[in-house]
Amino acid sequence: MAINVARYELNGNIGWGVVADGGLTPLVGTYETTGDFIRDGRAEARNIAAAGTENNIPLDHVTLLSPVTQNQQYVCQGTNYVSHLVESGIDPKTQTFNMIFRKASSCIAPPNTDVIRPAHVKLLDYELELGLVFGKKIDGPVHVTWDNLTNYVAALVVNNDISARDVQLPQWQFYKGKSYRTFGPTGPWLTLIDQDDVKQIPKLRLQLFVNGKGRQDALADDLFFQPPETLTELSDVQDFAEGDLLATGTPGGVAMQAPKSKLLMFMSKLIPEAKKWEIFINKNVSNPDFLKPGDVIQSRIATEDGSLDLGTQANKIVQG
């Protein structure tokens, strides 16, 4: 059974607690990092959930923090939804590799944080993503399947891969363009899963709204590279620790869209690089879908039946 566990602050103290019925029941144990909680606190969380959470603290009495702490690795997949491949001008039939990149862990932020748009950034974009939180250390190749996924994934989490497109694309700087502080709102909580919950993952619906208007709406079943094959591939490349975060890509509906005209795409290849990106930025500055100070993003991931409910974020854009 899935259990929601939040990291929170109350009266200057930071703790973890099981979330149910609009409230939170604190864990007794002290877990400084997400890795500490994953290693040592999951059993306590499950015991509390089994015992019941009647005497809990209302959620509006606490400040929710990111349940993924900044010491953890933050690894991402790019163009990993069929709908996002199409809007990026990529034919899914030609997609043969898994695009992997990193974001700075220092951009991980609370679920309801204000997102700061740096002064030089004009094209600020959103990317709602399903996050996987590692439950086991990986230091060598492993073969991950749907049947053994929870041997390696402890929890699911809402993540927003905020992106400065006018840095990311003209400079070919995915890391820099996506790593400014506050560019990784995460939470509101970890949804701990067991193997019985795995069959629900493709049924998760990702929904993002800006100022109440729907922008993204897709099922996780639209993922091009599903979690088992991605974890298997990454285990050949690098080590992971308990609590590390893998953001699995965003659905279609982001502000940044590829040119619709094939002629325009061809013509852009004939323009000098610097001039091309100057035109790109000037053209997109008038696009109302890019985020502006005062805009509010609301993001949610859950199954229709509520068996998995990763919660909702709300983030206001402020000028840096």
Side-chain angles (χ1 to χ4, degrees), residues 18-244:
V18 174
V19 176
D21 301 323
L24 177 150
T25 301
L27 276 62
V28 175
T30 301
Y31 310 106
E32 183 174 349
T33 70
T34 306
D36 293 335
F37 167 72
I38 295 296
R39 283 186 292 270
D40 304 322
R42 279 187 289 171
E44 182 186 355
R46 292 198 178 279
N47 288 338
I48 288 175
T53 56
E54 292 85 358
N55 299 318
N56 54 16
I57 302 169
L59 283 176
D60 60 7
H61 287 196
V62 305
T63 299
L64 292 176
L65 306 175
S66 170
V68 178
T69 49
Q70 289 188 345
N71 66 299
Q72 308 288 167
Q73 294 188 92
Y74 188 175
V75 181
C76 305
Q77 292 174 263
T79 54
N80 195 40
Y81 276 75
V82 173
S83 55
H84 188 44
L85 282 164
V86 171
E87 73 179 0
S88 300
I90 302 170
D91 183 350
K93 295 178 181 178
T94 67
Q95 182 75 341
T96 58
F97 62 88
N98 206 340
M99 182 192 292
I100 306 295
F101 60 94
R102 285 285 304 270
K103 286 176 67 117
S105 297
S106 55
C107 80
I108 296 173
N112 298 319
T113 192
D114 287 346
V115 172
I116 300 170
R117 187 179 79 166
H120 62 283
V121 171
K122 299 177 181 178
L123 305 182
L124 190 67
D125 210 345
Y126 49 84
E127 292 192 12
L128 175 57
E129 312 214 359
L130 169 64
L132 310 180
V133 177
F134 284 80
K136 181 179 182 179
K137 181 179 180 181
I138 294 177
D139 55 10
V142 295
H143 180 60
V144 184
T145 67
W146 285 114
D147 291 334
N148 70 4
L149 185 69
T150 54
N151 290 350
Y152 304 97
V153 174
L156 311 176
V157 69
V158 180
N159 177 253
N160 197 337
D161 172 20
I162 303 293
S163 305
R165 301 298 192 195
D166 43 349
V167 176
Q168 173 196 350
L169 298 175
Q171 298 181 26
W172 292 102
Q173 288 276 9
F174 273 64
Y175 183 83
K176 183 178 174 183
K178 291 171 171 279
S179 288
Y180 293 95
R181 293 174 185 86
T182 73
F183 272 28
T186 302
W189 46 68
L190 300 181
T191 298
L192 300 178
I193 58 172
D194 58 28
Q195 196 57 43
D196 287 341
D197 299 313
V198 169
K199 62 181 178 296
Q200 300 296 323
I201 292 176
K203 301 177 184 178
L204 286 166
R205 181 171 294 278
L206 290 77
Q207 295 176 296
L208 182 141
F209 303 82
V210 178
N211 301 328
K213 180 180 178 181
R215 296 284 185 87
Q216 294 183 286
D217 190 346
L219 295 175
D221 192 44
D222 191 42
L223 282 165
F224 192 89
F225 293 101
Q226 293 284 342
E229 57 188 311
T230 298
L231 296 181
T232 299
E233 178 182 351
L234 287 177
S235 74
D236 282 336
V237 178
Q238 71 168 95
D239 295 346
F240 289 96
E242 299 93 335
D244 286 346

